[in-house]
Amino acid sequence: MAKLILRLSIFIVLIVTTILALILISPPRADSYLMAFKNKQKLLRETPSPRMIFVGGSGLAYGLDSEMIGSHFERYNVINTGLAYKIGMRFMLENVKTHLKPGDLVVLIPEYQLFYEYFDGSITLFAIVEIEPDVVESISFSQVFSMLDEFPQYFQRHFNFLVNSTILNKSMALSYEKVSNFNRYGDFEGHLGLKSVDITKIPLFAPDQGKEFDKDSKDYLNRFYGDIREKGADAVLIFPLISGFHYRTHKEKIDLVYDFLKDGLNMPILNTPQEFTADSRLFFNQKYHMNIEGRKYYNPLIINKLKLYLSKLDTQPATDRTELFIEN
Amino acid sequence: MLFNSLHYLVFFPVVVAIYFSIPHRYRWILLLSASYYFYMCWKAEYLFLILISTAIDYFCGLQMGKRVKRESRRKFLILSLFTNLGLLFSFKYFNFFNDSMRDLFNQFNIFYNIPAFDVLLPVGISFYTFQTLSYTIDVYRGVKKPERHPGIFAVYVAFFPQLVAGPIERSVRLMPQFYEQKSFDYQRVTDGLKIMVWGFIKKLVIADHLAMYVNQIYNNPGNYTGMPLLLATYFFAFQIYCDFSGYSDIAIGSAKVMGYDLMQNFRRPYFSRSISEFWKRWHISLSSWFRDYLYIPLGGNRVAKWRWYYNLLVVFIVSGFWHGANWTFLFWGALHGSYLVLSIITAKIRYRIVSFLGLVNTPILHKVIKVVITFHLALFAWVFFRANSISDAFLILGSMFRGGANWFKPGPKIDGFDINLAIISILVMEAIQLYQERASVLEFINSKPVLIRWAIYYVAVMVILLFGTFEEVEFIYFQF
C-alpha cells in the first residue's frame, strides 16, 4: 500500500504542478472587466465616510448612475461595488463589512440568483481572489468547499484563455467589457450608446439556476445587519429592476424570495419585486443590465426609495428597524 | 452521491483505506455502512425501500432453503415477487398507469379521480430490485443456497459501486466474493483505477459534452429541421453509450480496487453485426437477466415459431418498460423485439441477397456493412428512447430529412459546446474500442515501460481536467 500511496502522491503533485503552471502563465488580463474589483477595493479603502455603498452584481455595475445618486444625497460619498452576481452575496457583504465605518449606508440590490445557487458564489470568486489575494480572508469554509468543487471549471477557463490568446490569437471577452470603461464611482459605462438586444429571449433564471433556494441567506443577512449596526453603519435592501416579462415568467421564484425575506428580515426592505419592473426595451444585453434609457428610469426609482427611507429615519429614529419596512 | 462528484472523490479513497486497514471479518460492516451512506446522500428516506427488500428476500431465501419441494417454496417466491415488484410498481409505474387510465376514461367522458402518487422515483430501484429478485428466484430453483449471514446478504443488495445503476449482479457470482479474504494487491488496485479513469473520460469528456447539444435539440424538436436533428441523434447514440458504459466502468473499477469482480456490462455494442449480437454486447447484465428469468421460462426458442416471436416481443417490451414508465420506452423495446423477429423471418432472403451480391467472398466488407446497418437500426430506435414523447419522436424523424437548401444550417450555438471536440472524442474512443476488439488495452498499457505508462496516465487525467464537464450531470440510467 505504501508503494501505491507514494506513487499516487507523486502523480498528484505532477498534476497539481501542471495546473498551477497553467494558471500562472495565463494571468488575468490587465484590462479585463473583473480587474475593476481592484479599483473598487481601493474606493472602499480610501473614500471618506459617510458613504453610500451599493452592493450587488453586474446589474448595479451596468445600471447605477452614482453621480446622479450622489447629487441627491450630498451627505454621502457614493461607491458602486457591483460587478458580477456570480461572486456571491456572502462574499460581497463580508468584503464590504471589513471596510465599513460609522455613518456608512449599505444599499444591497441583490440579483434574485443570489438567493438561490449563487449565495455562496461560484468560480468567479476564484478570479476575484486571483486579482486581489487579500480578500481570501472574507471567504468562509463552506465557500472554499463549493469553490473546490468548481475548480476544474476555473482551470479550464484559464486553459481556454491561454489557447485562445496565444495559439488562436482570439479574445474571449466582449470588446467593450474593459476595466477602463468603469467611472470613478465604480459604474460601468462601456455599454452606454451601444445597440441593445431583445432580452426576453434570455430567461431570468438559466436552466441550471433557481433550483435550490438558499434558506441560510436570511440568517446570514440578519447576522450581517446586526454586525454592521454595532459598527454604527446601516443597511437596506432594494430588489433590482427587471423586465416585466421576466417578472411574469419567473414570478414564483421571485415571490418566493420576497415572501421569505419580508417575514423576519431585520434589514429594511424598501420595495417589492413587482414595483421594480420595466419595459424590456430598457435593458441592454442581459436580464439585469440596463441600457442608457434604463439607467435614466432606474436611478430615480432608487433615489425615491432611499429618500423616503432616510427622511423616515431622520424624523422617527426607530429602535426596531423593521418598522421602517416600506410596502407599497 | 454521484461518481462524478467531489464527494465521491473523497468518499471512495476513505472507504478503500479503511477497508484494507481492518480485519476481513469486519469488512462487511464497513461495506454495508458505506453503501447505505452512499445511497442516503441522495435521499435518506428511501433507504427504507432497500431495507424492506433486503429483509423480505433474506427471510424468503431462508424459508425456501428449509423446504425441499418446489411447491412449498413457491409461496415465498410469490411473497418476494409481490413485495419487490409491488414497490417497483408503486414508485415507478403507478402514475403512468393512472395517467393512462385517466386519458382513456376521459376519452369516453367517464369521471376518473384517482390522484397521482406524488413521490420521487427512488434512484436505482429497478437495479436493486432485479438484483435481489435474481437471488430469490435462484434459491427457489435450487441454483443458490440461501444466504444465512444477514449482513453479507444486505451488502449483496446494496453494494455501493453497483447499487444505483448496475451491473445487475447475480448472487452466485457476487455473494461468495464477500467471504473471500481480499488482501491489498497493487496490480489489481491500479488496474481498477485505470478502468475508473477510462469511465470518467467516457462520462465527463464525451457523454456530458454531447448532452449539451442533444438536450438542446431533443427538448425543442419543433425548432429544428435537417442536420441538427440528425447530428443530435448520432450524438445521443454515443452519449448514452458513454454515459452508461462510463458508469459501469467506474463501478467495475471501484469494485476491483477493493478486490471484487463485477460482470462486464458492455462489450463495444456499436461493433455488433446484428441486433441479436447488439443485445449480447449492450447492458449485458440486464439482457442476460431477462434471458434467464423471463425469456427461457417463457419457452425461449424451443417452442413453435409464432410462440418464439411472441416470447421475443414480450421480453423486449418488458425490457423497454423496465427502462421507464413512458410510451417512448415501450415503443423502443417493441422496436428492438420487432427487429429480432424480422431478422429471423428474413434470414434466408438476406442470405440469398448476400450470395447474389458476392459479399460472402469479401468478408470484411460484409462485416462492415452489417455493422453499419445494425448501428443505424439501433440509432433509429434511440430516437424513441430519447424523445420526450412518441409525437416528438415522429416529429424528429419527419423533420430530420426536411429542410431543402437549409438542411445544412448549423444547429444552435451552445455555451461550452464544441462540435469539433465532440467528433474528435467520439473518433478517438471508437479507435480505442476497435483496438479492444482484438486485444486488451489494459494489458497493452501494463506492458509498456514506466515512463510511457505514466505519460498515458498523465494525458488521461489532463484530458479529463481540461475537457471534462464538471457540472455533476446525473447518469442517464439513474432515472431507471
Side-chain angles (χ1 to χ4, degrees), chain B residues 138-161:
Chain B
D138 282 351
V139 173
Y140 169 75
R141 287 175 174 173
V143 176
K144 168 90 180 83
K145 283 190 176 167
E147 177 55 52
R148 302 203 170 274
H149 192 309
I152 296 287
F153 181 73
V155 176
Y156 163 71
V157 177
F159 188 42
F160 74 85

Short mmCIF file of all heavy atoms in Angstrom, two decimals, chain B residues 138-161:
data_model
loop_
_atom_site.label_atom_id
_atom_site.label_comp_id
_atom_site.label_asym_id
_atom_site.label_seq_id
_atom_site.Cartn_x
_atom_site.Cartn_y
_atom_site.Cartn_z
N ASP B 138 -33.22 -17.75 -7.87
CA ASP B 138 -32.17 -18.78 -7.86
C ASP B 138 -32.32 -19.73 -6.67
O ASP B 138 -32.10 -20.94 -6.80
CB ASP B 138 -30.77 -18.12 -7.84
CG ASP B 138 -30.38 -17.59 -9.21
OD1 ASP B 138 -31.10 -17.88 -10.19
OD2 ASP B 138 -29.36 -16.88 -9.31
N VAL B 139 -32.69 -19.17 -5.53
CA VAL B 139 -32.89 -20.04 -4.35
C VAL B 139 -34.10 -20.94 -4.60
O VAL B 139 -34.07 -22.14 -4.31
CB VAL B 139 -33.09 -19.19 -3.07
CG1 VAL B 139 -33.47 -20.07 -1.89
CG2 VAL B 139 -31.81 -18.42 -2.74
N TYR B 140 -35.13 -20.38 -5.17
CA TYR B 140 -36.34 -21.16 -5.48
C TYR B 140 -36.00 -22.31 -6.43
O TYR B 140 -36.43 -23.45 -6.26
CB TYR B 140 -37.38 -20.23 -6.10
CG TYR B 140 -38.57 -20.97 -6.71
CD1 TYR B 140 -39.55 -21.52 -5.89
CD2 TYR B 140 -38.70 -21.11 -8.08
CE1 TYR B 140 -40.63 -22.20 -6.43
CE2 TYR B 140 -39.76 -21.77 -8.64
CZ TYR B 140 -40.72 -22.33 -7.81
OH TYR B 140 -41.78 -23.00 -8.37
N ARG B 141 -35.16 -22.00 -7.42
CA ARG B 141 -34.79 -23.03 -8.40
C ARG B 141 -33.76 -24.01 -7.86
O ARG B 141 -33.46 -25.01 -8.51
CB ARG B 141 -34.19 -22.35 -9.64
CG ARG B 141 -35.18 -21.63 -10.50
CD ARG B 141 -34.42 -20.91 -11.60
NE ARG B 141 -35.31 -20.30 -12.58
CZ ARG B 141 -34.87 -19.50 -13.56
NH1 ARG B 141 -33.59 -19.25 -13.68
NH2 ARG B 141 -35.73 -18.99 -14.41
N GLY B 142 -33.18 -23.71 -6.73
CA GLY B 142 -32.17 -24.57 -6.15
C GLY B 142 -30.78 -24.33 -6.73
O GLY B 142 -29.85 -25.10 -6.49
N VAL B 143 -30.63 -23.25 -7.47
CA VAL B 143 -29.33 -22.91 -8.07
C VAL B 143 -28.40 -22.33 -7.00
O VAL B 143 -27.19 -22.47 -7.06
CB VAL B 143 -29.53 -21.88 -9.22
CG1 VAL B 143 -28.20 -21.43 -9.80
CG2 VAL B 143 -30.44 -22.44 -10.29
N LYS B 144 -29.00 -21.67 -6.01
CA LYS B 144 -28.21 -20.98 -4.98
C LYS B 144 -28.74 -21.40 -3.61
O LYS B 144 -29.96 -21.46 -3.41
CB LYS B 144 -28.39 -19.47 -5.19
CG LYS B 144 -27.88 -18.59 -4.07
CD LYS B 144 -26.43 -18.22 -4.29
CE LYS B 144 -25.89 -17.34 -3.19
NZ LYS B 144 -25.46 -18.07 -2.00
N LYS B 145 -27.80 -21.67 -2.72
CA LYS B 145 -28.21 -21.96 -1.34
C LYS B 145 -28.56 -20.65 -0.66
O LYS B 145 -27.94 -19.63 -0.95
CB LYS B 145 -27.07 -22.64 -0.60
CG LYS B 145 -26.91 -24.10 -0.98
CD LYS B 145 -25.96 -24.78 -0.06
CE LYS B 145 -25.91 -26.26 -0.41
NZ LYS B 145 -24.80 -26.94 0.23
N PRO B 146 -29.55 -20.66 0.23
CA PRO B 146 -29.91 -19.38 0.87
C PRO B 146 -28.75 -18.82 1.69
O PRO B 146 -27.98 -19.58 2.28
CB PRO B 146 -31.08 -19.75 1.78
CG PRO B 146 -31.07 -21.22 1.88
CD PRO B 146 -30.38 -21.78 0.68
N GLU B 147 -28.67 -17.51 1.69
CA GLU B 147 -27.61 -16.83 2.43
C GLU B 147 -28.04 -16.70 3.90
O GLU B 147 -29.12 -16.18 4.17
CB GLU B 147 -27.34 -15.45 1.81
CG GLU B 147 -26.31 -14.63 2.54
CD GLU B 147 -24.98 -15.34 2.71
OE1 GLU B 147 -24.45 -15.83 1.71
OE2 GLU B 147 -24.53 -15.45 3.87
N ARG B 148 -27.21 -17.19 4.81
CA ARG B 148 -27.60 -17.16 6.23
C ARG B 148 -27.11 -15.90 6.94
O ARG B 148 -27.71 -15.46 7.90
CB ARG B 148 -27.05 -18.38 6.96
CG ARG B 148 -27.53 -19.66 6.33
CD ARG B 148 -27.51 -20.87 7.23
NE ARG B 148 -28.23 -21.96 6.57
CZ ARG B 148 -29.54 -22.13 6.64
NH1 ARG B 148 -30.27 -21.31 7.38
NH2 ARG B 148 -30.14 -23.10 5.99
N HIS B 149 -26.06 -15.32 6.41
CA HIS B 149 -25.49 -14.13 7.07
C HIS B 149 -26.27 -12.88 6.62
O HIS B 149 -26.16 -12.47 5.47
CB HIS B 149 -24.01 -14.00 6.67
CG HIS B 149 -23.24 -13.01 7.49
ND1 HIS B 149 -23.66 -11.72 7.72
CD2 HIS B 149 -22.07 -13.13 8.16
CE1 HIS B 149 -22.78 -11.09 8.46
NE2 HIS B 149 -21.80 -11.92 8.75
N PRO B 150 -27.06 -12.29 7.53
CA PRO B 150 -27.89 -11.16 7.08
C PRO B 150 -27.05 -9.97 6.60
O PRO B 150 -27.44 -9.25 5.68
CB PRO B 150 -28.70 -10.79 8.32
CG PRO B 150 -27.98 -11.41 9.47
CD PRO B 150 -27.25 -12.60 8.95
N GLY B 151 -25.87 -9.80 7.20
CA GLY B 151 -25.00 -8.68 6.81
C GLY B 151 -24.48 -8.85 5.40
O GLY B 151 -24.51 -7.91 4.59
N ILE B 152 -24.02 -10.05 5.09
CA ILE B 152 -23.49 -10.32 3.75
C ILE B 152 -24.61 -10.16 2.72
O ILE B 152 -24.41 -9.58 1.64
CB ILE B 152 -22.88 -11.75 3.67
CG1 ILE B 152 -21.67 -11.87 4.60
CG2 ILE B 152 -22.52 -12.11 2.23
CD1 ILE B 152 -20.41 -11.16 4.15
N PHE B 153 -25.80 -10.66 3.09
CA PHE B 153 -26.91 -10.53 2.16
C PHE B 153 -27.25 -9.05 1.92
O PHE B 153 -27.47 -8.63 0.78
CB PHE B 153 -28.15 -11.27 2.69
CG PHE B 153 -29.30 -11.17 1.73
CD1 PHE B 153 -29.29 -11.89 0.54
CD2 PHE B 153 -30.37 -10.32 1.98
CE1 PHE B 153 -30.33 -11.77 -0.37
CE2 PHE B 153 -31.42 -10.20 1.07
CZ PHE B 153 -31.39 -10.93 -0.10
N ALA B 154 -27.23 -8.27 3.01
CA ALA B 154 -27.53 -6.83 2.88
C ALA B 154 -26.48 -6.13 2.00
O ALA B 154 -26.81 -5.25 1.21
CB ALA B 154 -27.60 -6.19 4.25
N VAL B 155 -25.22 -6.54 2.15
CA VAL B 155 -24.16 -5.94 1.31
C VAL B 155 -24.40 -6.32 -0.15
O VAL B 155 -24.24 -5.49 -1.05
CB VAL B 155 -22.75 -6.40 1.76
CG1 VAL B 155 -21.68 -5.84 0.82
CG2 VAL B 155 -22.46 -5.94 3.16
N TYR B 156 -24.81 -7.57 -0.38
CA TYR B 156 -25.09 -8.00 -1.76
C TYR B 156 -26.17 -7.12 -2.40
O TYR B 156 -26.06 -6.71 -3.56
CB TYR B 156 -25.52 -9.47 -1.75
CG TYR B 156 -26.22 -9.89 -3.02
CD1 TYR B 156 -25.52 -10.03 -4.22
CD2 TYR B 156 -27.60 -10.14 -3.03
CE1 TYR B 156 -26.16 -10.39 -5.39
CE2 TYR B 156 -28.25 -10.51 -4.20
CZ TYR B 156 -27.53 -10.62 -5.37
OH TYR B 156 -28.17 -10.97 -6.54
N VAL B 157 -27.19 -6.78 -1.63
CA VAL B 157 -28.29 -5.96 -2.18
C VAL B 157 -27.83 -4.52 -2.42
O VAL B 157 -28.23 -3.89 -3.40
CB VAL B 157 -29.52 -5.98 -1.23
CG1 VAL B 157 -30.63 -5.08 -1.76
CG2 VAL B 157 -30.04 -7.39 -1.04
N ALA B 158 -26.96 -4.03 -1.51
CA ALA B 158 -26.69 -2.58 -1.54
C ALA B 158 -25.25 -2.21 -1.88
O ALA B 158 -24.88 -1.04 -1.71
CB ALA B 158 -27.05 -1.99 -0.17
N PHE B 159 -24.45 -3.13 -2.36
CA PHE B 159 -23.01 -2.88 -2.61
C PHE B 159 -22.86 -1.58 -3.43
O PHE B 159 -23.29 -1.49 -4.57
CB PHE B 159 -22.43 -4.07 -3.36
CG PHE B 159 -20.95 -4.04 -3.51
CD1 PHE B 159 -20.10 -3.64 -2.48
CD2 PHE B 159 -20.36 -4.44 -4.71
CE1 PHE B 159 -18.72 -3.64 -2.64
CE2 PHE B 159 -18.99 -4.45 -4.88
CZ PHE B 159 -18.18 -4.03 -3.84
N PHE B 160 -22.23 -0.57 -2.83
CA PHE B 160 -22.32 0.78 -3.40
C PHE B 160 -21.81 0.96 -4.84
O PHE B 160 -22.39 1.74 -5.59
CB PHE B 160 -21.69 1.84 -2.46
CG PHE B 160 -20.19 1.85 -2.40
CD1 PHE B 160 -19.45 2.55 -3.33
CD2 PHE B 160 -19.53 1.18 -1.39
CE1 PHE B 160 -18.06 2.57 -3.27
CE2 PHE B 160 -18.14 1.18 -1.32
CZ PHE B 160 -17.41 1.88 -2.26
N PRO B 161 -20.74 0.26 -5.28
CA PRO B 161 -20.32 0.54 -6.65
C PRO B 161 -21.42 0.26 -7.69
O PRO B 161 -21.49 0.93 -8.71
CB PRO B 161 -19.13 -0.39 -6.86
CG PRO B 161 -18.59 -0.62 -5.49
CD PRO B 161 -19.80 -0.65 -4.61
#
